[in-house]
Amino acid sequence: MKVPGNALLPQFERASDYFDYFDGNEVPDVEQLHDRRLKAGLQKTYLLETVDGGIPSNRPSIPSIFSRSNLLAKKLPGDSRAWTLLNEDNERVALLEELDPRYLALYTILPSSSSDKLLREAVIGNPFLDHLWLSSQSFLSLWRQVLRDNSANRYGKITFEHESLYESSADEAEAFVADERRTSRFTMVDKIGVISQKMNPLKEEYAPLASITQLRIPAQGRGGHDLYYDGKLTNRSSSFQDHRATLRGVVDLYSSLTQSVEEQLWVSASAAPRFSDGNLGSVAEIIFSRSLPEDVFKRWVISLFNNRRNRFRITGFPTWLSDTKVHANAIDQHLWQPLVLEITTERVVAVLPHGTCGNSINRLISNIQRFIDPKVTAFIGDREYGSLIESAAV
């Protein structure tokens, strides 16, 4: 991966020095960056989840985790919770900060094409790393905060996206020209009061608009922060400190939601089946808004279990009970947790053992919304998923 020299980070001893650098304090190159005169990318943050470090023995060290992704993590001499990340060419490509024992922030000014690839490859084969997965319900909670905290005349941006990956076979997909692929993407840029008025009627008319994949959170000054459904944040404001405050708010909401999902799973465990080893399982159910066409269902299931690098990060051994029903003993590639899946054209039922990471549920729901059905309804035990997000946002 060719990295522009002006996108590499200098060497500092403390995270605060890097934060000043990103803010452009006394650094002409970064002032130019904010004016978009450099070829390097805008400053970006990638939010990651790792193993909960509440018990130190539960998580490998940060250098050990990132060595699995062929990245060298070097601790900053003046900061106990920050590392620089070097790629295989010994180039300083990012700053890593431990926000808390479970969540990490990776800061970089690499161009998006390079940084997205770096993060995708770092996560896909690493069981100790995962993205933050923001469902449409999470975006709606953040959108309500945007409406509450900003003037209706402030400009905002929200993107809806649904990609029907499994509606066509591989041979048919190759026959399509790029403009004819079954991808629905719609971005609204307007005053947030206008967006609020128009959004709900549009979603009712056109189902893909139920799948939110990007939201611009306005900054305190000019500009804002573009948040994507996989936990990426692009800083389009004039203040890195404002950017850090925004990402902290996102992590706080996400952490509360994930905790609520996990607590709800364990509350409902007594009514759920047991695994073969005697452990209790908890049930999560995702119900499609309409029955999936049989050909779409088959393509999705085949892709899910025949592709180790699938977007859902699930591997397993499916048993076809009929043309429209599959049972699978599966493994979540994040932390290698077991789960039992029953997938039909009507719903997905997941039985998860006690101790399963709530991020597995967030990932499953957000990716189903984007690639299978934008208007799914999800239940964790006997609680609707959206109600858990509302509770987390209070």
Side-chain angles (χ1 to χ4, degrees):
M1 178 175 66
K2 181 70 173 177
V3 178
N6 58 358
L8 298 176
L9 297 181
Q11 183 173 354
F12 295 127
E13 293 194 353
R14 293 179 297 275
S16 58
D17 295 330
Y18 283 100
F19 299 158
D20 287 341
Y21 179 78
F22 294 140
D23 241 338
N25 294 344
E26 301 179 358
V27 185
D29 283 349
V30 177
E31 291 173 2
Q32 292 177 16
L33 174 63
H34 287 304
D35 291 336
R36 304 183 184 183
R37 290 200 294 267
L38 290 182
K39 294 181 180 179
L42 295 170
Q43 189 275 317
K44 291 165 285 294
T45 301
Y46 294 82
L47 298 172
L48 299 169
E49 181 181 63
T50 185
V51 183
D52 189 345
I55 302 174
S57 61
N58 282 356
R59 192 186 76 180
S61 67
I62 292 293
S64 175
I65 290 173
F66 281 87
S67 68
R68 287 174 166 263
S69 302
N70 296 319
L71 292 169
L72 175 62
K74 297 183 69 173
K75 182 178 283 296
L76 298 186
D79 202 313
S80 62
R81 300 179 67 181
W83 297 257
T84 52
L85 293 181
L86 286 76
N87 63 14
E88 292 178 299
D89 296 324
N90 207 37
E91 297 171 316
R92 193 173 289 102
V93 292
L95 170 71
L96 184 73
E97 181 187 18
E98 184 181 47
L99 300 174
D100 67 24
R102 188 166 184 171
Y103 297 103
L104 308 171
L106 187 151
Y107 308 103
T108 184
I109 55 172
L110 293 175
S112 284
S113 58
S114 299
S115 61
D116 289 349
K117 181 180 179 182
L118 176 75
L119 266 292
R120 184 169 59 250
E121 293 180 350
V123 169
I124 194 66
N126 194 329
F128 296 108
L129 291 176
D130 202 0
H131 301 282
L132 265 61
W133 296 100
L134 294 151
S135 65
S136 294
Q137 294 92 329
S138 295
F139 273 115
L140 287 173
S141 179
L142 290 165
W143 173 243
R144 286 190 288 270
Q145 292 181 20
V146 168
L147 292 173
R148 183 193 66 205
D149 298 338
N150 294 273
S151 163
N153 291 321
R154 188 78 190 268
Y155 273 80
K157 178 180 178 182
I158 189 165
T159 297
F160 309 85
E161 187 170 12
H162 177 68
E163 189 173 354
S164 303
L165 285 180
Y166 308 101
E167 287 193 5
S168 304
S169 68
D171 291 339
E172 291 171 331
E174 288 179 1
F176 292 151
V177 296
D179 291 342
E180 294 177 342
R181 297 199 59 153
R182 300 250 333 151
T183 299
S184 300
R185 190 176 193 272
F186 177 65
T187 298
M188 297 179 70
V189 181
D190 209 324
K191 294 179 179 179
I192 62 175
V194 174
I195 295 176
S196 180
Q197 291 174 359
K198 302 296 185 183
M199 193 165 67
N200 287 336
L202 285 170
K203 285 195 301 180
E204 292 302 318
E205 290 291 328
Y206 189 48
L209 298 188
S211 174
I212 303 174
T213 58
Q214 181 185 348
L215 172 67
R216 178 166 296 173
I217 301 173
Q220 292 296 313
R222 64 184 179 88
H225 314 279
D226 287 347
L227 175 64
Y228 297 81
Y229 89 114
D230 58 357
K232 175 184 175 181
L233 268 164
T234 299
N235 184 8
R236 297 185 181 277
S237 76
S238 57
S239 168
F240 179 74
Q241 296 305 320
D242 188 88
H243 182 71
R244 285 195 75 231
T246 299
L247 71 88
R248 284 278 186 179
V250 172
V251 170
D252 287 346
L253 172 66
Y254 192 84
S255 176
S256 296
L257 166 63
T258 303
Q259 220 169 9
S260 296
V261 167
E262 291 167 352
E263 290 171 357
Q264 179 61 23
L265 282 171
W266 317 145
V267 165
S268 62
S270 59
R274 289 179 179 270
F275 281 74
S276 58
D277 61 4
N279 287 332
L280 285 172
S282 305
V283 174
E285 184 177 22
I286 301 171
I287 303 170
F288 303 129
S289 62
R290 58 183 178 84
S291 181
L292 297 181
E294 189 174 315
D295 59 336
V296 173
F297 173 75
K298 288 182 177 178
R299 288 188 190 108
W300 176 38
V301 172
I302 290 170
S303 172
L304 191 63
F305 296 110
N306 288 2
N307 181 0
R308 291 191 60 207
R309 296 173 69 89
N310 69 77
R311 293 167 172 82
F312 295 84
R313 296 195 75 189
I314 291 173
T315 56
F317 303 95
T319 300
W320 290 83
L321 303 179
S322 71
D323 287 341
T324 59
K325 186 175 184 179
V326 168
H327 180 278
N329 293 311
I331 296 290
D332 189 320
Q333 294 175 19
H334 178 50
L335 306 182
W336 298 114
Q337 296 171 322
L339 65 156
V340 175
L341 294 173
E342 182 180 280
I343 309 175
T344 73
T345 53
E346 308 291 334
R347 69 191 65 211
V348 176
V349 177
V351 182
L352 308 106
H354 187 84
T356 295
C357 175
N359 207 46
S360 301
I361 298 296
N362 298 332
R363 182 186 338 108
L364 186 61
I365 292 172
S366 64
N367 279 283
I368 284 178
Q369 285 176 332
R370 183 172 179 188
F371 299 111
I372 306 297
D373 182 352
K375 303 184 76 171
V376 294
T377 304
F379 290 88
I380 312 300
D382 59 358
R383 287 280 304 275
E384 202 271 322
Y385 181 74
S387 70
L388 295 174
I389 296 174
E390 292 175 7
S391 300
V394 173

